[in-house]
Amino acid sequence: MSQRVEEAKKILLGNRKNGYTLPTNNKLYPAQWNWDSAFIALGYSYFNLDYALEELETLLAGQWDDGMVPHILFHDNDTTYFPNHKTWKCGKNIPSSGITQPPVIASILKIILENHQLNEGQNTRVVQILKKIKKYHDWFIKFRDPKKTGLISILHPWESGYDNSPIWDKPMSNISVDKELNYQRRDLEVSNSEERPLKKDYDRYITIRDQFKEANYDPNKLYDISVFNVVDVGFNSIFLKANKDLLEISKKYDLDFQNLHEFISLNENRLLGLFSKENNNFLSQDLKTKNNLNIPSITNYFSLFADLNNQELNKKLIENLKSHNSNEKYFFSSIDPKHETFNEKRYWRGPVWINCNWLVYQGLKNKDKEYSELLKNKTMELIEEKGFHEYYSCKSGNVMGANNFSWSAALYLDLALEK
Ligand code: DGY
């Protein structure tokens, strides 16, 4: 056990640039990604707390005036990625994309703070970080739930982080793509096409992005005009937990974030309402068509991470989780292999992702100790056997996507060294 700890540290340091860390050392992702950075910060916290705080500070330095923290920050003007800052054209001091990603930063910070005694200078830095996270969460509440329903929307599949998940198949099928669309993908130059999203996915990603660009990324407009508007179970679960964690940390720092209470309880109630007794699982919602989206995605189990106040439901979720990968040696696959949309290799349509295992593990720890230990051991064993990759086959453990993958290294450090 833990035999790859030193290697994991080296991967993070090897991918580190000026104050932030690339998701990998190959050319697939040459910038700073939002949720990658948060996971990476947790990894650093086990051997360099200042790097951990700096990672978060650099990410939050890219926060827009309205509060949004972009999904990508292009610090060094690299244009080998598509879509790079020149095609997003957001016009910010730190060039960025014009959408966001799952807000895991507050939950990561809470773990870091629990593990460390901070000095005065570090505490001062944490206060600044917390204020920015609060502004980020307020942005979600204001602009991604303008009708005050208690559930927040994502307006682009890239915002979920699970880009080509089958959850988006139906909503994406309603998007009509401009025949003149003209762009050049770069991901296929450095990765295997059968492990990446399809052309039809990219056509739609760019169509939505162009719509946002046309509207100048005005957050007051995007919720209504976006051709894609989905209330996702996984994303709302992450946000609910993040708000609970932010509120708890704020008390220790004497910050008055009390107004979060109201959203938290509404969010929790509405999220519980997305559980379908009939289907015995959670359903996401396509707000454009008012259809439910019933896909057995591991991201639905981020609801365990949210620590829902309903023990009966949590028990049922764990029971279901145990059958998600009943026949596979490696788990968890992003999509249940028994489902028709499952694809062993294609990005978020089947492969095992370390961050998903980690989020589910966090949710299991206080609910089913034995199963959480099994998940932890299986996740560590997969990495110890195969190395630090972006994703893995649930059937063979074969590695896919980028190698020297930062969040796989960072989360391995947390699993191996957690207190
Ligand atoms: C990519 O380029 O595949 C990223 O996932 C988009 O955020």
Side-chain angles (χ1 to χ4, degrees):
M1 272 295 179
S2 316
Q3 65 225 29
R4 287 196 187 248
V5 163
E6 291 314 311
E7 193 186 331
K9 292 179 187 170
K10 270 199 201 119
I11 286 176
L12 293 183
L13 294 173
N15 293 346
R16 192 165 190 270
K17 304 283 255 189
N18 194 9
Y20 70 99
T21 307
L22 302 176
T24 161
N25 69 347
N26 83 357
K27 296 203 160 45
L28 188 55
Y29 306 118
Q32 183 178 27
W33 260 257
N34 183 327
W35 71 334
D36 292 69
S37 255
F39 294 130
I40 287 165
L42 180 60
Y44 280 131
S45 71
Y46 287 97
F47 63 104
N48 191 327
L49 184 57
D50 283 319
Y51 279 8
L53 295 179
E54 200 181 347
E55 185 76 32
L56 301 180
E57 286 165 338
T58 309
L59 176 66
L60 292 166
Q63 181 166 44
W64 287 14
D65 287 346
D66 59 27
M68 185 183 79
V69 180
H71 103 290
I72 311 177
L73 297 178
F74 301 97
H75 295 286
D76 69 359
N77 292 339
D78 180 289
T79 52
T80 59
Y81 176 76
F82 177 81
N84 59 52
H85 69 283
K86 285 202 170 148
T87 85
W88 280 98
K89 283 204 180 83
C90 293
K92 304 292 170 189
N93 286 346
I94 298 180
S96 74
S97 68
I99 55 174
T100 191
Q101 245 188 350
V104 290
I105 182 165
S107 301
I108 295 290
L109 186 60
K110 177 163 172 277
I111 302 176
I112 296 177
L113 296 176
E114 280 163 0
N115 287 345
H116 290 275
Q117 222 23 55
L118 269 52
N119 64 34
E120 206 185 317
Q122 288 165 334
N123 274 322
T124 309
R125 291 166 70 187
V126 168
V127 170
Q128 293 315 313
I129 291 173
L130 287 170
K131 287 182 179 164
K132 290 184 176 184
I133 299 177
K134 173 66 165 49
K135 191 171 167 187
Y136 182 31
H137 287 202
D138 284 344
W139 172 86
F140 272 112
I141 295 169
K142 180 166 178 202
F143 295 113
R144 293 313 180 82
D145 180 23
K147 297 187 177 136
K148 300 195 189 320
T149 65
L151 292 167
I152 54 164
S153 287
I154 54 167
L155 305 183
H156 195 298
W158 281 337
E159 295 203 303
S160 70
Y162 19 109
D163 305 3
N164 65 339
S165 167
I167 310 172
W168 325 127
D169 285 359
K170 272 205 186 137
M172 288 289 265
S173 70
N174 294 327
I175 294 174
S176 48
V177 171
D178 183 357
K179 293 211 173 56
E180 311 286 294
L181 206 60
N182 183 14
Y183 65 90
Q184 196 198 339
R185 282 174 73 167
R186 305 298 301 268
D187 57 319
L188 300 181
E189 293 167 18
V190 284
S191 51
N192 197 334
S193 68
E194 60 178 359
E195 296 166 12
R196 292 287 303 171
L198 299 168
K199 176 182 181 309
K200 77 166 185 225
D201 299 317
Y202 264 78
D203 283 352
R204 291 161 178 170
Y205 296 151
I206 300 309
T207 300
I208 311 172
R209 195 285 309 268
D210 286 351
Q211 204 198 4
F212 295 177
K213 184 154 69 170
E214 181 81 27
N216 249 326
Y217 303 102
D218 179 349
N220 290 300
K221 294 188 184 150
L222 299 193
Y223 183 91
D224 289 322
I225 65 160
S226 176
V227 286
F228 181 96
N229 187 330
V230 174
V231 163
D232 174 56
V233 172
F235 201 96
N236 273 274
S237 300
I238 285 177
F239 190 53
L240 175 57
K241 175 73 160 106
N243 274 317
K244 288 179 180 178
D245 289 340
L246 182 60
L247 191 59
E248 202 175 314
I249 314 171
S250 70
K251 289 178 193 151
K252 296 196 185 110
Y253 283 87
D254 266 342
L255 292 162
D256 183 9
F257 292 172
Q258 290 304 316
N259 70 328
L260 288 178
H261 269 300
E262 200 187 327
F263 189 81
I264 289 172
S265 71
L266 187 61
N267 192 208
E268 177 137 7
N269 273 330
R270 291 298 318 278
L271 188 55
L272 286 167
L274 296 182
F275 187 82
S276 154
K277 285 212 173 107
E278 200 189 326
N279 294 283
N280 189 29
N281 57 17
F282 272 108
L283 305 178
S284 292
Q285 288 179 340
D286 180 353
L287 295 194
K288 289 303 225 201
T289 59
K290 311 276 181 261
N291 284 332
N292 290 329
L293 304 169
N294 184 4
I295 300 291
S297 168
I298 193 64
T299 57
N300 293 336
Y301 293 98
F302 296 169
S303 45
L304 291 168
F305 180 63
D307 280 336
L308 296 170
N309 191 10
N310 183 329
Q311 298 331 316
E312 204 188 314
L313 179 60
N314 288 334
K315 251 173 98 179
K316 194 178 293 192
L317 289 171
I318 294 173
E319 229 177 87
N320 293 352
L321 177 67
K322 288 178 180 168
S323 68
H324 185 84
N325 277 145
S326 36
N327 302 322
E328 282 67 39
K329 182 163 177 218
Y330 302 93
F331 61 60
F332 288 117
S333 60
S334 31
I335 298 297
D336 184 335
K338 300 179 276 308
H339 194 255
E340 58 195 7
T341 60
F342 172 81
N343 180 321
E344 185 189 342
K345 297 186 178 162
R346 201 174 292 289
Y347 213 40
W348 288 91
R349 301 181 76 86
V352 176
W353 289 80
I354 300 302
N355 68 331
C356 289
N357 280 14
W358 185 87
L359 286 162
V360 175
Y361 169 66
Q362 296 308 312
L364 280 175
K365 271 201 282 193
N366 58 0
K367 301 177 190 71
D368 186 331
K369 190 86 195 124
E370 199 182 321
Y371 196 51
S372 75
E373 282 302 310
L374 178 73
L375 173 57
K376 173 173 167 160
N377 292 337
K378 295 268 282 183
T379 306
M380 290 178 66
E381 277 162 25
L382 174 59
I383 291 174
E384 280 158 12
E385 204 182 305
K386 307 286 180 183
F388 296 99
H389 282 263
E390 188 180 3
Y391 42 103
Y392 308 80
S393 157
C394 66
K395 308 257 179 219
S396 61
N398 280 354
V399 299
M400 289 179 278
N403 61 6
N404 293 309
F405 201 68
S406 297
W407 84 30
S408 300
L411 297 176
Y412 177 82
L413 285 174
D414 181 62
L415 295 176
L417 305 174
E418 68 175 337
K419 306 222 162 98

